[in-house]
Amino acid sequence: MKEHCLTLDREVAYNDFVTVAVVVPAHNASQTIVSTIDSILKSISDGDRIFVIENGSMDDTWQKLCATYQENSAVCLTQSDIANASIARNLGVELAHEYDYVAFCDADDTWHPRKLEWVRKIIASNSPDVIFHPMLSVGDKRITLEGAGFLNKRLPRTPKLAWDLAVYGNFFPTSAMVLRRCVLPNPVFLPELKQTQDYEAWCAIAHFNANLNVAYIDLILGIHSWMGGLSNAVPARMRNIWWVSAHYLENAPLKLRAIAKFRMLAHIVWWLGKTKNLGMLRALFLSSVKGRQLNKLLDATVTH
């Protein structure tokens, strides 16, 4: 763990001079956005700010935001007519150019009130580039833990963090991520990806920052709420994961590329067995044209 992961000294005083910008994309989030922002407000310090980007909502998200936070100087409200979370997050990152660190939170997630206190402690102790923690994921029928896989998989297993991500999957929950502003590429998230934008972004950050220092806080400091699941998007999501993984493993040893493909195939077989959805298999393997287009798109990330 020493190569990529730093430890937290629980006794160290936190650094209150470091500024943190929190980027929150909001699309059709009328039912959850207030509880999300209220939870972040309880965690931030005087020098921090929340950048909320409402993007193409069909409900009253924007009206609710204006009615609740228009007079709050800690909350910056911005509106976009493009319903795309990547574009919204990228806009938030641009607005946060003066801040030391950028954190992300989805519009249906909530933070622990002491989250940024712990973040500031680890910044004061180790000054890492990336800080994250586990998130409690609450769905219709189950509760799971996101992010703990970083330690459970006993990473790093490879010489590069980008390879670990490409082989073993996304162990960085988006709403748990706090990143030093200077390590972020431009753009951070690819708008062309409809799923797995965050996975590609973390792979890119690790790829373009070879000596990235990552700090893992072994505390559950957030709750991710989702209802209904993403089963309809599974074929596209798995296709994107496959191609993102292949892109960032292009120069990796053959053994790592084989492990990544085996793990992905095993996951596909498991999902097919669970859902008995043969249409998913067709969607995955008859989408070679889209796959080639995605490959060209990822090749262009060298301009980040």
Side-chain angles (χ1 to χ4, degrees):
M1 298 302 298
K2 292 182 179 178
E3 265 191 75
H4 302 308
C5 188
L6 302 172
T7 57
L8 172 65
D9 182 356
R10 290 172 178 253
E11 302 302 322
V12 71
Y14 67 87
N15 188 342
D16 207 19
F17 296 101
V18 170
T19 56
V20 179
V22 186
V23 175
V24 183
H27 174 73
N28 292 340
S30 176
Q31 300 300 314
T32 59
I33 191 63
V34 171
S35 60
T36 295
I37 296 177
D38 284 351
S39 74
I40 300 172
L41 284 169
K42 293 175 183 177
S43 183
I44 64 174
S45 297
D46 290 340
D48 303 335
R49 203 171 190 196
I50 306 169
F51 293 89
V52 185
I53 317 298
E54 189 279 320
N55 56 106
S57 296
M58 301 299 291
D59 61 7
D60 62 339
T61 298
W62 179 248
Q63 291 79 3
K64 186 166 288 188
L65 284 168
C66 292
T68 311
Y69 302 108
Q70 196 165 29
E71 303 300 322
N72 193 325
S73 60
V75 182
C76 174
L77 302 178
T78 304
Q79 194 171 28
S80 168
D81 58 357
I82 303 175
N84 186 303
S86 292
I87 292 176
R89 290 193 183 108
N90 290 336
L91 177 57
V93 171
E94 290 179 15
L95 294 172
H97 65 277
E98 295 182 350
Y99 291 78
D100 300 313
Y101 284 81
V102 177
F104 297 96
C105 187
D106 289 341
D108 53 358
D109 297 348
T110 53
W111 281 6
H112 191 283
R114 297 184 64 188
K115 167 174 172 162
L116 290 186
E117 176 187 341
W118 285 107
V119 166
R120 284 187 159 85
K121 284 186 176 184
I122 202 166
I123 290 173
S125 178
N126 295 305
S127 190
D129 301 308
V130 177
I131 306 147
F132 78 108
H133 55 80
M135 295 276 294
L136 197 65
S137 180
V138 180
D140 287 335
K141 299 179 180 179
R142 61 175 183 166
I143 298 176
T144 57
L145 195 62
E146 296 182 359
F150 185 77
L151 292 183
N152 294 344
K153 294 182 176 66
R154 298 180 182 178
L155 300 174
R157 293 189 181 184
T158 76
K160 298 182 180 181
L161 180 59
W163 289 355
D164 280 324
L165 281 162
V167 173
Y168 299 105
N170 186 10
F171 37 77
F172 290 152
T174 301
S175 294
M177 297 294 282
V178 183
L179 304 101
R180 192 187 296 274
R181 180 67 175 78
C182 62
V183 305
L184 298 179
N186 183 25
V188 183
F189 301 93
L190 296 182
E192 296 85 352
L193 289 178
K194 299 302 181 183
Q195 292 84 24
T196 68
Q197 308 100 321
D198 51 351
Y199 178 47
E200 192 283 329
W202 314 145
C203 287
I205 290 168
H207 177 75
F208 291 108
N209 297 275
N211 298 315
L212 200 70
N213 289 323
V214 178
Y216 174 83
I217 303 175
D218 196 16
L219 297 169
I220 300 174
L221 297 177
I223 297 176
H224 168 59
S225 301
W226 58 274
M227 300 298 168
L230 296 170
S231 54
N232 291 335
V234 166
R237 199 151 45 93
M238 286 192 171
R239 184 192 64 232
N240 288 1
I241 291 172
W242 182 289
W243 285 91
V244 169
S245 174
H247 175 73
Y248 287 102
L249 288 173
E250 187 175 6
N251 298 317
L254 179 61
K255 179 180 178 181
L256 286 181
R257 285 181 279 159
I259 292 173
K261 289 184 178 180
F262 175 80
R263 288 174 59 86
M264 191 65 192
L265 286 171
H267 189 65
I268 292 172
V269 170
W270 172 83
W271 186 268
L272 289 172
K274 178 181 178 182
T275 62
K276 296 181 175 61
N277 185 356
L278 296 180
M280 175 185 165
L281 188 64
R282 180 179 181 275
L284 279 168
F285 293 104
L286 296 184
S287 59
S288 57
V289 173
K290 288 186 178 180
R292 285 194 294 272
Q293 291 173 345
L294 179 59
N295 204 31
K296 292 178 181 178
L297 170 67
L298 292 176
D299 287 340
T301 61
V302 294
T303 61
H304 278 187

